Structures are given as structure tokens and as C-alpha cells.
Amino acid sequence: MPFTTDQFFALFAAYNQAIGPAPIVAYVLAALALAAMLSGCAAGYRVALGILGLLWLWNGAAYHLVFFTRINGAAYGFAVLFVVQGGLFLWLAARAASGRAIRRRVLQVATGSSLVAYGAILYGILGRLSGYAWPAIPLFGVAPCPTVIFTFGLLMLAPRRVASWLLIVPLVWAAIGSSAAILLSVPEDLGLLVSGLIVAGWLIVRATQRGSRDKQAA
């Protein structure tokens, strides 16, 4: 790591103080995204994707580019990844059709809901219990790790088929960001690693099932 734990949390303190009510706005947007995704309609799905796009663009530009680059040169690359991912979400949201409709399974809904709750609520609680207090803690919606966990959960709740390539960048960040759990003493980021493994497993199972259906059809 090119920075210390103290530098990392000092950066978050400066960041959180600078962005004012942005975390509150992020929670409002997240609630709208969840309601839109659970509505089950194509329009709701596009609204949810659009909101995810805004959250990812914010994390890429405001956090990574403006702040994180002060202590980590690799943050320039992270900023590009997040901005590109945000652009992909917005692009899909603008399309007339975004994947075929599917039937959401009970296990999928339960898992997705759990990840949404972890990213939006439990992540912050665990951060507070780990010994850090406002403003020196990562917050949902304006910090990458809880936002990525929320993204995983929300996409698992999607009423339409989510393209596997749309999850590449989130999975890459799950691998990168979860290192903070050990190297920077951020135990709540273990949830990022677990959520990444869950989603990777979900994609593998989905691909296997699709392959079996294709064989049967042939």
C-alpha cells in the first residue's frame, strides 16, 4: 500500500466534510433505485440502472479522481474504471429494451436483498463498531466499497437478464477493494469479498444452466 491506515481514514474525513449532504442524496437515490427495481417493469429497471450510473460516476470522479489520487496514484485508473462503469449503466438505462424479462427466484431475491441491506445499512454500522467515527468512515453511495456491494445486490434483484459483462468492473473492484479488510483494518470490506464471490458463483451457475438448456434444445 502506498499510504498508511491513518492517511486513508484522514482522507475520508476530508472527503466527507467536503461533500456535505451528498450521502443523504445517495440514500434517497438508492431507495428510489430499489423501489424501481422491485417494481418489476422495464421502465423501473432502466430507472434503477440510471441511478446506479450516477452513483458510479460520483465515486469515480468525486472520490477517486479528486480525493483518492492525493494518496494513491493508482486511483487515476480506478477513476477510469468507475466512470466507464457509470457510463455503461447510463447507456443501458437509455435503451428502449435492456435484456429479456426473467422470473426472479426466491433464493436470488433473498440474496440480492441481503447484499442491498449490507451495502446500504450494515456496512456503515460495522464501520462504526470497528472504532472509527464520523467523518473518518466510508459511507454508502459516496464510497466505492459499500456502493459496489449495493450494486451487486440490486442487479441480483433485476426483473430482466443482466449481461455478464456488466459485472466485470464491479467484480474487479471487489478483488481490489476487499484488500482493505486486512491491509487497512476495514473488517466491513470482507463483505465486499463475500459479495463478489456470491455474484461470481451466480454467474457461473447461470451460464451452466443456460448451457444445459442449449444442449437440450439442440
Side-chain angles (χ1 to χ4, degrees), residues 15 19 21-34 47-64 78-79 81-87 89-90 116 119-120 139-152 154:
Y15 172 61
I19 62 177
I24 298 174
V25 175
Y27 268 103
V28 173
L29 290 175
L32 291 174
L34 180 59
V47 168
L49 289 179
I51 291 174
L52 283 179
L54 294 177
L55 293 177
W56 276 75
L57 287 176
W58 174 277
N59 278 272
Y63 174 72
H64 281 303
F78 301 156
L81 286 177
F82 272 71
V83 169
V84 168
Q85 183 68 32
F89 280 132
L90 292 177
V116 164
L139 298 175
F140 165 75
V142 295
C145 293
T147 302
V148 172
I149 297 171
F150 176 84
T151 298
F152 282 144
L154 198 64

Side-chain angles (χ1 to χ4, degrees), residues 168-181:
I168 293 175
V169 171
L171 285 171
V172 169
W173 183 256
I176 295 172
S178 59
S179 63

